[in-house]
Amino acid sequence: MTDTNPEGLRELVLVTGMSGGGKSIAMHALEDAGFFCIDNLPPELLLNFMALERQREARRVAIAVDVRSKGSLPHVLPLLKQLRAEGHAVRSIFLDASTDALLRRFSETRRPHPLRDVTGEEREHGAADDSRLLLDAIEIERELLAALRVESTVIDTSLLRPAQLRAWVRDLVSVRGGSLTLVFESFAFKHGVPSDADFVFDVRVLPNPYYVHELRALTGRDEPVAQYLDLQPEVALMRSQIAAFMDQWLPAFAADQRSYLTVAIGCTGGQHRSVYLVEQLTLQFAHRGQVLKRHRELDAVERRRH
C-alpha cells in the first residue's frame, strides 16, 4: 500500500455505525491493511491512548466506537476535533444499513441488539413481540448515532457482501487525507438507492444495451457496450451535464472541508448504463485529485464468482 500519510502525522481511523452494520468486517480489513485495531475503546480514553501512541513508533490506528458506549457518544466529536488540532490525521467511517437489512442480520445471527431492552418493555411485558423490540432498538440507535453519521464518510452495507465491504474500506483508507475524495458509484434502482450517496443521478431514460441481444450478458466495462453507448447522443449529453454539475460544485464542497463526496448513478440493473458512466466519469475527473469508483451490483456478482 502506498504511503497515505506523507507528512508523518499520526493517523487515526474511527469506525462507527449501526449494530450489525459490519464493523467487525471493517476492523479486520483495517488490520489486514496494517492498522493497530481496538474494538469498543471507551471514548474517555481516546486522548490518553493517542498520547501514549506518541511514545511508540509511528503506526496507523483504527478504533471502533459504537452504541455500547452510548453514555459517552456526545463526547466523541469534540474529542476528534481536539485530536485534529493536536496534529493527528483523523477520519471517521460510519457503517450504515437499511432497517430491513439489520432486522434480517439479527434474525440470522440471533445476537441480541445492545439496546434491545432499553425501553424496559420486555421486563414489563414478558410476551412482548421480539421483532417490535428490535425495531425500537434500531430506531433509538439511529437517533443516538445521528451526529456521528453526519460527520463521517458513510458506507451503506445493506447489499454488500463481506469481501466487497473489505475492499471498499481498504480503498477509503488508501487515499491521502486532507483533500476531498470523489467517489462515483453505480447501482440498480431495483435494489434501492445507496443511503451513502450525496448526489443521485437517474440514467434509466438512456438507451439500454440490455435490449441488444449481443450486449445483454456484457457490462458497461466491456468495449462493445461502451462503443454502443458512445454512439447514443443522449448518453453523451447526460455525461456532459453530470460532469458540468460536478465541475461547478466540487470547489464549494472542498472549501467546506468535506473529506468524501459520493455520486451515485443508477440504472435498472446496475450492469450497463450506470457502470459505463461511472467508468467514463472516473477517467474524466482523474486529474482533479483523488477519485474512487464502485459498482455495487457488479462488484458483488464478480466477487461471488471468485
Side-chain angles (χ1 to χ4, degrees), residues 7 14 29 59 84 94 141 189 193 206 282:
E7 296 84 1
L14 180 77
R59 63 178 177 180
R84 290 189 179 101
F94 189 101
E141 184 177 28
F189 272 98
V193 177
L206 300 179
T282 299

Side-chain angles (χ1 to χ4, degrees), residues 116 119 121-122 128-138:
R116 187 173 180 272
T119 62
E121 293 182 39
E122 187 175 26
D129 180 73
D130 285 346
S131 295
R132 183 175 62 81
L133 289 174
L134 178 55
L135 182 61
D136 289 345
I138 290 171

Side-chain angles (χ1 to χ4, degrees), residues 22 41 43 58 62 72 91 99 103 132 138 141 183 208 283:
L41 179 75
S72 305
R91 69 180 83 191
T99 297
L103 288 171
R132 183 175 62 81
I138 290 171
E141 184 177 28
V183 182
N208 192 350
L283 289 173

Side-chain angles (χ1 to χ4, degrees), residues 187 189 200-206 238 242 264-268:
F187 72 95
F189 272 98
V200 177
F201 293 96
D202 183 350
V203 301
R204 288 176 291 182
V205 296
L206 300 179
M238 179 73 79
I242 294 174
I265 300 176
C267 61
T268 305

Side-chain angles (χ1 to χ4, degrees), residues 33-77:
F35 282 79
F36 178 73
C37 298
I38 301 177
D39 184 29
N40 199 31
L41 179 75
E44 295 89 345
L45 299 180
L46 188 55
L47 293 180
N48 289 336
F49 174 78
M50 294 306 291
L52 180 63
E53 280 296 296
R54 293 194 190 97
Q55 304 173 23
R56 305 176 184 271
E57 293 183 6
R59 63 178 177 180
R60 309 163 82 196
V61 175
I63 294 175
V65 172
D66 55 42
V67 79
R68 288 173 292 176
S69 302
K70 58 181 179 294
S72 305
L73 289 176
H75 304 298
V76 173
L77 289 178

